[in-house]
Amino acid sequence: MAFSMSEELLPVFVPVIVYWIGAAIYQLTLCPMEQYRLFTKEEEETQNLATRRQVLVGVLINQAMQMGLATLMFMTGGLVPTGSNSAQSPSLLRVVGQMAVAMLVMDCWEYFWHRWTHENKFLYKHVHAMHHHIIVPYTYGSQYIHPVDAVVGEILGGLVATLVSGMSPLTAAVFFSLLTLKGLDDHCGMWFPNHPIHRWMTNNAAFHSLHHQHIGIKYNYSVHYLATWDLLLGTYLPFSVEPRKEGGYQLQIAKDL
């Protein structure tokens, strides 16, 4: 069956709604819990180079640009994956398989783009440094990125993942919403010992928080679910999460242990 414009744009608009609902839940219910913070409020106030207001405006502009570009792509027929106009709904097994393929594609795409923006001095200075103005991360700073980062890393990466996996708009909306929630958690600056992602996944909030620190900026480039490419290519920086004497937690790299 042919997809309508509203169905086509589900992968664009639904994750944005999920982003702000998720960010609100973190900011209002979880982030005030001082005992789970990886950084103190003083560290956030003194280290971050962008104010929360600047981050909020930057994220809104970035999301508006992405939605506008996606709408333009729909009008030119660029959002429908080849072969996705099936008369039958895909089976659950097929959907899971498509999302697994999309995850592998996105992890690979984002790792190498992210690493390049760090190793290329021009790209870092003029593009990716914007995101690293947030040294002590917090949830809604997840999408505080330069437009070039948004287009190449997020939009093109997402488009390639959608095309390669053959996801329908509805499946893609679910996939990118989950990706959005993972990004919010990765930037929450919190550590919950019993959180399944924090406890069992290498690529978690502590992993990414370390990347935002000066000492870890050349490591831990993996962005979404897996840390595979960091582990394979030697860019993984071992660390531990230790209790802070004043309360909360802190990151320690291997040489400090």
Side-chain angles (χ1 to χ4, degrees):
M1 60 181 178
F3 296 121
S4 66
M5 183 172 183
S6 59
E7 290 175 309
E8 275 280 322
L9 294 180
L10 282 175
V12 180
F13 290 97
V14 172
V16 172
I17 296 171
V18 169
Y19 184 90
W20 290 111
I21 293 176
I25 292 173
Y26 268 95
Q27 291 298 131
L28 297 177
T29 64
L30 300 177
C31 292
M33 299 180 181
E34 298 287 335
Q35 69 269 32
Y36 298 113
R37 291 177 65 100
L38 285 170
F39 307 95
T40 65
K41 289 184 177 180
E42 182 180 1
E43 285 175 322
E44 178 186 330
E45 293 171 356
T46 58
Q47 294 182 27
N48 283 352
L49 304 177
T51 66
R52 286 195 173 233
R53 178 183 176 84
Q54 289 174 319
V55 170
L56 178 62
V57 172
V59 171
L60 290 173
I61 292 174
N62 176 44
Q63 290 178 338
M65 179 202 69
Q66 291 189 55
M67 289 188 287
L69 182 58
T71 301
L72 179 63
M73 292 173 68
F74 167 81
M75 295 173 64
T76 58
L79 283 181
V80 182
T82 302
S84 62
N85 292 343
S86 173
Q88 294 183 334
S89 299
S91 66
L92 179 59
L93 182 61
R94 181 176 177 80
V95 168
V96 171
Q98 289 174 331
M99 294 177 70
V101 170
M103 178 186 70
L104 294 175
V105 172
M106 283 296 290
D107 275 341
C108 180
W109 182 283
E110 288 278 11
Y111 173 85
F112 287 101
W113 167 250
H114 188 195
R115 181 172 177 174
W116 191 32
T117 61
H118 276 272
E119 296 183 347
N120 183 293
K121 292 182 179 180
F122 179 87
L123 283 176
Y124 184 80
K125 179 179 180 181
H126 298 285
V127 176
H128 193 61
M130 175 179 174
H131 186 62
H132 281 274
H133 286 169
I134 304 176
I135 298 171
V136 175
Y138 46 86
T139 48
Y140 63 86
S142 171
Q143 292 185 13
Y144 183 64
I145 56 178
H146 190 278
V148 173
D149 253 338
V151 171
V152 180
E154 300 291 333
I155 298 177
L156 290 182
L159 181 59
V160 171
T162 302
L163 292 173
V164 171
S165 65
M167 292 187 295
S168 69
L170 179 58
T171 301
V174 173
F175 174 75
F176 291 116
S177 294
L178 293 174
L179 221 59
T180 296
L181 291 173
K182 179 61 164 57
L184 289 172
D185 187 74
D186 286 346
H187 288 83
C188 70
M190 311 284 286
W191 181 254
F192 301 102
N194 294 319
H195 190 307
I197 291 177
H198 294 193
R199 185 169 185 175
W200 302 111
M201 293 184 68
T202 302
N203 190 344
N204 53 37
F207 174 93
H208 195 69
S209 291
L210 182 59
H211 173 72
H212 274 261
Q213 302 300 294
H214 294 300
I215 198 167
I217 202 167
K218 294 292 186 181
Y219 301 91
N220 296 7
Y221 295 121
S222 297
V223 177
H224 295 301
Y225 290 109
L226 307 175
T228 307
W229 292 104
D230 279 308
L231 293 168
L232 288 175
L233 300 180
T235 53
Y236 171 69
L237 182 61
F239 66 94
S240 68
V241 180
E242 303 293 339
R244 187 191 298 267
K245 291 182 179 180
E246 301 80 9
Y249 293 92
Q250 61 185 348
L251 299 171
Q252 288 188 338
I253 61 171
K255 70 178 183 179
D256 291 336
L257 298 178

